[in-house]
Amino acid sequence: MPKLFNTSFEVSLRILLILSAVKPRSITIDRIAAYDLMTVYGRDFGMAEQNLHGENQFSFSELPAKREQLNGALRSLVLDGFISVAPSPGGFLFGLNERGREFVKSMQSEYAAAYMETVKKTHRMLGKTSDASLLSKITRQAMDALKRR
């Protein structure tokens, strides 16, 4: 059966939206993963009125698989010239370049607009939080969700 959601192409589009929202700085793969999870499940994290990917009792458990998906998508985006990568003491930093910015401008859909609005809110609220604290927040919420079931 063909994969409908979270294809490499879809993940790549969401990465471009995330990097557009956090401008002008670059961010790590861990922050991209956290922001993506918190954006697609915005209601579960108090960032939006609804979850863009619907209700999913296992939404919090997607983080480990998300990092693997992101690795391939980031590699393709760098090779295709949409994003730049730079080493840092905390790991590689990914940022949107001019070609990526132009592509994001062409993304005109209700989903892209809702995603962008939620990821911007996520960044406003958590942009000064460390990557480790973001991942801990997701883990805590996952544990709380499991206790409620």
Side-chain angles (χ1 to χ4, degrees):
M1 181 168 96
K3 189 174 176 184
L4 296 175
F5 300 106
N6 287 322
T7 63
S8 183
F9 179 71
E10 180 185 350
V11 171
S12 294
L13 295 177
R14 292 197 318 259
I15 289 169
L16 292 172
L17 290 170
I18 290 168
L19 294 176
S20 177
V22 300
K23 60 186 171 188
R25 64 181 216 158
S26 300
I27 58 175
T28 65
I29 189 173
D30 288 333
R31 184 164 297 267
I32 293 169
Y35 278 10
D36 187 46
L37 186 70
M38 296 173 114
T39 298
V40 297
Y41 296 110
R43 188 178 66 75
D44 294 344
F45 287 96
M47 301 295 170
E49 298 279 325
Q50 65 182 12
N51 290 329
L52 290 171
H53 289 192
E55 301 306 313
N56 177 353
Q57 65 179 355
F58 303 107
S59 60
F60 295 104
S61 66
E62 288 184 23
L63 189 61
K66 190 168 287 301
R67 198 160 195 300
E68 185 176 324
Q69 289 176 317
L70 288 172
N71 271 325
L74 285 165
R75 185 178 321 109
S76 294
L77 288 167
V78 169
L79 291 173
D80 292 340
F82 288 99
I83 63 174
S84 57
V85 61
S88 80
F92 289 104
L93 297 175
F94 300 91
L96 205 57
N97 62 26
E98 188 57 37
R99 184 172 185 207
R101 280 188 285 281
E102 288 302 314
F103 188 83
V104 168
K105 287 179 188 175
S106 74
M107 295 171 70
Q108 304 293 321
S109 70
E110 285 183 39
Y111 178 88
Y115 188 94
M116 183 63 92
E117 180 181 328
T118 304
V119 78
K120 282 180 177 179
K121 181 177 182 182
T122 301
H123 184 60
R124 275 192 312 272
M125 293 177 72
L126 301 169
K128 295 190 187 308
T129 304
S130 72
D131 291 0
S133 293
L134 276 176
L135 298 176
S136 291
K137 177 180 176 55
I138 292 168
T139 301
R140 279 192 310 276
Q141 284 198 237
M143 297 305 290
D144 289 346
L146 287 173
K147 289 176 190 174
R148 288 192 298 267
R149 288 184 171 61

